[in-house]
Amino acid sequence: MTSSLLSGLNPEQLAAVTLPAQSALILAGAGSGKTRVLTTRIAWLISNGMVSPQGVLAVTFTNKASKEMVTRLSAMLPINTRGMWIGTFHGLCNRLLRAHYREAALPQTFQILDSADQLSAIKRVMKALNVDDEKFPPREVQSFIGGHKEQGLRAHEVEAYDPYSRRKVEIFAAYDEQCQREGVVDFAELLLRCYELLSRNQQLREHYQARFKHILVDEFQDTNKLQYQWLKLLAGSNNALFAVGDDDQSIYAFRGANVGNMQELTRDFHVQSVIKLEQNYRSHGHILDAANALIKHNRSRLGKNLWTAEHKGEELRVYEAPTDTEEARFIVDEVKQLHREGVALSGIALLYRSNAQSRVLEHALVSAGMAYRVYGGQRFFERQEIKHALAYLRLLENQDDDNALLRIINFPTRGIGARSIEQLQESARMHNTTLWDAAARAGGKVAGFVALIDSMRNATRELPLPEIVDHVLEHSGLVAHYQNETGAKKREAEERLENLNELLTAATMFVHENEDDSLTAFLTHAVLEAGEHQAEANADALNLMTVHAAKGLEFHSVFVTGLEEGLFPHQNSQREDGGLDEERRLMYVAITRARRRLYLTFAQSRMLHGQVNYNLASSFLRELPEELLHWITPRASQRKTFTPAYTASYAPAAPAAYAAPVPRPASESGWRIGQAVQHAKFGEGVVVNVEGSGTDARVQVNFRKAGTKWLALEYAKLTAL
């Protein structure tokens, strides 16, 4: 069994899988087979009797990754994986809190707030405290609360230096009190509550430390401060922490990810084994050489060098367009050509740094009649009709869930107006109760709503999960509401009905796939799944997405678009500590998504936020070795300027779509907009405006490092590039 498990592993993978029972850091490069190493490590430990299946704790960042791990383990070993602790941080913390809800001071049927419900709860708190939501935007407060929880801080532990921050701390404290009263928790609370439980309960902590002798973590570079503290707590001083990650792909600092956790791990756990997985099984050699050359410009990294046993492949194709519209047209024609060559549209990705860039790309694709999908669109459990149905189910399970009640008390419409709801909220505040208790004291149409929920609760008390869902869909009025839609909304209503039918299917499948088939478990599953991408269909379609969304994916051909200074790298990176390094890691991720062909495109001028912008080519292009690049539109000089000459080296099928980049006519001063220039003091820049003539002439230049400046030509030390 052991020999079959290890067959096909390369030497570094084999070394990682067969390490003795000790903590280790596996530095796994892009496309190096890290998932195989993780799952094989678990299988090897179990098959060699070093741990039982129940003694393994494996942590991932997505439900998709954990499911894949379970599937692979099931194929490797004849074991029952259903009882194993394999899941996301939030999923595992939820499981632990469900098992010890009393010790955690939670009701047995506590519900989890998704982001939208959390925002609604914060708005209610702010209204109760008479907080001005213009001065304190609810989303900003939501970020304030979540950010501090992810740092492991409660409201009373947050330092407030002025009246503004003290007010936010007050909202934070009141929000926590409201959640506790209603028996609900948000995502950040799951981990914080679990950490606090283990911290203060020595007996419970020692129980789980004794159980989980081997803790394995995927995507370790994405862990935040609290997640790392939670792992340290469970590992204690005797257990083995096997962390797999890549510091060069740490791109989620804005979510709290701390790439420094990797180096802290080596110190805190006295890690003697740092194994580098550098053989890449995804990309051709030139693509990897470019990624290696780029990322070496980051100084604070653990260091590795990707390589492949395959051949070098094609050079990276670089295209400079006169405008963003021409950039999009070029991409459309190249995609068509790739498709004619046999590459599926689904094997091609268009990547961009900012969502605002997608508009011009989408317009070009629509004009060309090309099928495409914006990756990361609305997910199944986030659709309006599904959230309505889940709110009914949540209220059946936990009548104190105020967010659920507010969502459905008048949907479908039953004549309960805004004033009636305000009176309920006032009554609940006055009596210090939940909205349900206030509604139970009310009369009229509110009483009718209470009777409806009570009736459904009584009717479904002994029913299996699928029948509960079916009963609620019919008796809540949701199905009838959408069936009765006519006119322009009829087609949309039909799609919503199909989604409601799919919810019933989801409940049925959940029963077949899970030991715990309770309504509480299903509602938890729905919330945890809401953040996962679910493909709309299996149709062949081009992929559009941000580089952040592309992490973990791979494609035959990739277009990295908008490679202009200020766009990618983003202008904010200049103002943040380590910002440029993270942008470079983001570019590294973009490059390593490509298997066979990689395009790098940029435009001399781009329309963003209603304004035409002239920017220099991205500094990242400078960091790529010249011998790896094939410039489709050659530059006028060795530097990457904005005035390339059109040559016969690129002959598209439809030349009209690629009119030669025509420079703006030179003004009387001899300078033109879009021209790349060099200044003795300010460095490289691009001309964005020209005014006057003779001794009064001046130009406005956007400098790479010094920003935008007006210069009098009579005195400016300016030279053309």
Side-chain angles (χ1 to χ4, degrees), residues 286 290 315-318 600 620-632 635 640:
H286 281 320
E315 297 169 336
L316 284 60
R317 303 184 180 203
V318 186
L600 308 175
F620 293 153
L621 288 170
R622 289 178 171 274
E623 297 174 0
L624 300 177
E626 196 64 38
E627 63 272 16
L628 300 179
L629 306 180
H630 169 63
W631 285 76
I632 296 174
R635 297 153 297 167
K640 300 172 179 61

Side-chain angles (χ1 to χ4, degrees), residues 90-304:
H90 293 115
L92 293 170
C93 286
N94 168 71
R95 182 171 177 178
L96 196 147
L97 291 174
R98 296 285 177 194
H100 306 284
Y101 64 91
R102 290 191 184 90
E103 294 92 333
L106 288 169
Q108 186 174 11
T109 58
F110 72 84
Q111 296 299 314
I112 304 171
L113 300 177
D114 63 14
S115 181
D117 286 334
Q118 182 192 21
L119 186 63
S120 176
I122 289 170
K123 288 178 180 178
R124 288 192 286 115
V125 169
M126 292 174 61
K127 186 173 182 179
L129 294 177
N130 198 27
V131 175
D132 184 351
D133 60 8
E134 291 189 5
K135 187 175 180 181
F136 296 88
R139 290 192 183 277
E140 183 180 307
V141 175
Q142 182 181 33
S143 177
F144 176 84
I145 293 173
H148 282 98
K149 284 189 176 184
E150 288 173 358
Q151 292 295 312
L153 300 175
R154 290 293 181 190
H156 68 275
E157 298 171 307
V158 177
E159 292 188 55
Y161 300 99
D162 52 40
Y164 184 77
S165 57
R166 281 195 292 273
R167 191 60 164 158
K168 287 203 288 190
V169 169
E170 289 174 11
I171 300 170
F172 185 178
Y175 165 77
D176 268 356
E177 290 171 5
Q178 175 179 281
C179 288
Q180 184 66 31
R181 185 170 62 249
E182 296 176 5
V184 296
V185 297
D186 56 48
F187 272 94
E189 181 71 19
L190 281 172
L191 187 60
L192 180 55
R193 184 75 65 110
C194 187
Y195 174 77
E196 291 172 339
L197 173 63
L198 293 173
S199 295
R200 68 172 181 264
N201 193 319
Q202 181 180 351
Q203 183 179 1
L204 200 62
R205 181 173 68 252
E206 291 177 349
H207 165 76
Y208 283 104
Q209 287 176 345
R211 174 172 182 172
F212 298 128
K213 290 299 183 183
H214 287 270
I215 301 174
L216 302 95
V217 190
D218 190 14
E219 303 286 8
F220 188 75
Q221 77 280 351
D222 293 335
T223 54
N224 62 30
K225 179 181 178 181
L226 183 58
Q227 288 165 340
Y228 181 49
Q229 293 299 320
W230 183 79
L231 289 168
K232 286 174 64 178
L233 203 60
L234 280 172
S237 57
N238 299 316
N239 296 337
L241 182 58
F242 186 90
V244 180
D246 183 2
D247 58 336
D248 291 335
Q249 294 189 76
S250 180
I251 59 173
Y252 297 120
F254 65 96
R255 294 182 187 170
N258 180 19
V259 67
N261 284 346
M262 300 188 79
Q263 297 197 4
E264 285 191 32
L265 169 73
T266 60
R267 293 192 299 268
D268 294 343
F269 287 85
H270 309 291
V271 171
Q272 299 176 352
S273 300
V274 177
I275 297 176
K276 299 179 181 181
L277 305 183
E278 298 173 300
Q279 184 174 357
N280 178 282
Y281 294 92
R282 175 188 300 161
S283 306
H284 277 165
H286 281 320
I287 294 171
L288 298 180
D289 291 344
N292 290 330
L294 177 88
I295 204 63
K296 283 179 181 176
H297 287 79
N298 278 3
R299 294 179 298 277
S300 299
R301 54 189 293 263
L302 295 170
K304 64 182 182 314

